[in-house]
Amino acid sequence: MKQLRLGIIGLGRAGYSMHLRELQGKEDMFKIEAVCDCEQDRLDNMKEKYGARGFLRVEDIVADPDIDVIDVATRSCDHFKHAKTALDAGKTVFLEKPMCTNYEDAKKLFDYAEKCGEKRLFIRHNRRFEPKFMQVNRIIQSGILGDVYYIRRTVANFDRRYDWQTLSQYGGGQLLNWGPHLVDQAIQFCGGDYKRLNSYTRQIAASGDCEDFVHATFEGINNRIVEIEISGGTAMRVPEYVIYGTRGTLIDKGETYEINSVPLDYVFEPVTSSPHTPAGAVFGPAIPVPFEKKEETWDTFPLDHTWVYLYDALVNGKDFPIKSSEALKVMEAISEIKAQNK
């Protein structure tokens, strides 16, 4: 089995805490050849743990001839610069979200990558493959909820953050943190594109000069209404998913989800409206519907699919599931939300 030689730029929350954990058990696919960070102690730690060579400068790690793939996991404000530097050096780039801080830079980066020749730029929208999102899609496709016309996707807590992701000069704010994940999921729910987008952002509990509350409503090309909410100022748990369909409703309850729906073999008989005033203090005769309630457990499995998909794309010639056009559409929506909330 061919082993890809990996260079990681950035050993912070994403590069060290997430990417290294996800790479565990995939040593036959990826070898951590070298790392780059501005902190020498982080480089020393990686040399001790993985035998990886350490670089303090991005220009030096991308020039290393023994590296096949550069994993860019630096601060959001540096993604464009570091990805382009790696492309300039002839490397394949696996780029952490947000791929850039705005749509214009994202388009420039993809255009530049195309000029470099073969497919060399891949965007890590890993939550396209998270357990709940994939299971929700399977439930929708099963038809148990009928024609799904409304979806609400929420990530909420109460977090008085004060790290670099609260500062706009570094590409901070929840719109560029959780935003790429939920916007990507929303656009998938919308059928791949949207007709209209309305949004609001606020700063609630975090320090700095960025938003920690984002609310956006998409009208999909499939006519679904999809709402996303990201909040760092919500002091109670709220459902991550609420889904309405013509035959039932799904609500996330934490470890489980609850569905209330009519059986698939139940046929709604036609009802004719009447212009007559109903007798008594009622709006009309009740028409019974045989709803059935069930509660099931969410699926759980690792969030490491993007590394396998990356390997299959580079070694086995398979299509990478995150298309360039999809990643660009995410950045287009994010830039639109920013423009609506200057």
Side-chain angles (χ1 to χ4, degrees), residues 1 29 119-122 305-323:
M1 189 172 188
M29 291 186 282
K119 176 72 174 177
R120 295 225 318 268
L121 178 62
F122 301 86
H305 291 66
T306 47
W307 293 100
V308 177
Y309 294 140
L310 177 66
Y311 183 87
D312 280 341
L314 296 177
V315 176
N316 300 321
K318 295 184 180 180
D319 289 335
F320 189 68
I322 307 297
K323 300 176 183 177

Side-chain angles (χ1 to χ4, degrees), residues 110-117:
F110 269 124
D111 289 346
Y112 186 76
E114 286 185 8
K115 291 178 182 178
C116 292

Side-chain angles (χ1 to χ4, degrees), residues 275-289:
H276 299 294
T277 301
V282 295
F283 293 101
I287 301 175
V289 178

Side-chain angles (χ1 to χ4, degrees), residues 184-218:
D184 179 59
Q185 291 179 352
I187 293 174
Q188 294 301 303
F189 284 139
C190 283
D193 204 348
Y194 57 91
K195 296 184 284 188
R196 283 186 293 181
L197 167 60
N198 293 300
S199 64
Y200 305 91
T201 66
R202 299 286 188 274
Q203 185 180 29
I204 307 298
S207 63
D209 61 349
C210 297
E211 78 289 334
D212 61 348
F213 175 86
V214 179
H215 183 99
T217 302
F218 298 81

Side-chain angles (χ1 to χ4, degrees), residues 1-8 19-20 22-34 50 66-71 92-94 122 124 304-316 320:
M1 189 172 188
K2 182 178 179 180
Q3 191 180 48
L4 293 174
R5 299 166 298 180
L6 184 67
I8 303 175
H19 295 199
L20 288 181
E22 294 165 2
L23 285 165
Q24 290 178 4
K26 298 177 180 60
E27 289 80 7
D28 55 340
M29 291 186 282
F30 295 95
K31 178 188 178 184
I32 302 172
E33 190 75 33
Y50 297 92
D66 294 325
I67 294 175
D68 302 309
V69 180
I70 291 290
D71 174 27
T92 294
V93 177
F94 194 35
F122 301 86
R124 187 178 177 271
D304 57 9
H305 291 66
T306 47
W307 293 100
V308 177
Y309 294 140
L310 177 66
Y311 183 87
D312 280 341
L314 296 177
V315 176
N316 300 321
F320 189 68

Side-chain angles (χ1 to χ4, degrees), residues 6-7 51 55 75 92 95 111 114 139 177 180 195 213 217 223 264 266 273 275-276 290 303 316:
L6 184 67
F55 296 91
R75 293 182 178 186
T92 294
L95 182 55
D111 289 346
E114 286 185 8
I139 292 169
N177 183 18
K195 296 184 284 188
F213 175 86
T217 302
N223 294 319
L264 286 171
Y266 177 78
S273 296
H276 299 294
L303 278 173
N316 300 321

Side-chain angles (χ1 to χ4, degrees), residues 40-58:
Q40 183 64 50
D41 61 331
R42 296 181 180 182
L43 303 180
D44 295 340
N45 176 56
M46 289 297 293
K47 182 177 181 180
E48 181 180 344
K49 282 188 173 182
Y50 297 92
R53 296 188 303 283
F55 296 91
L56 290 168
R57 290 174 8 108
V58 172

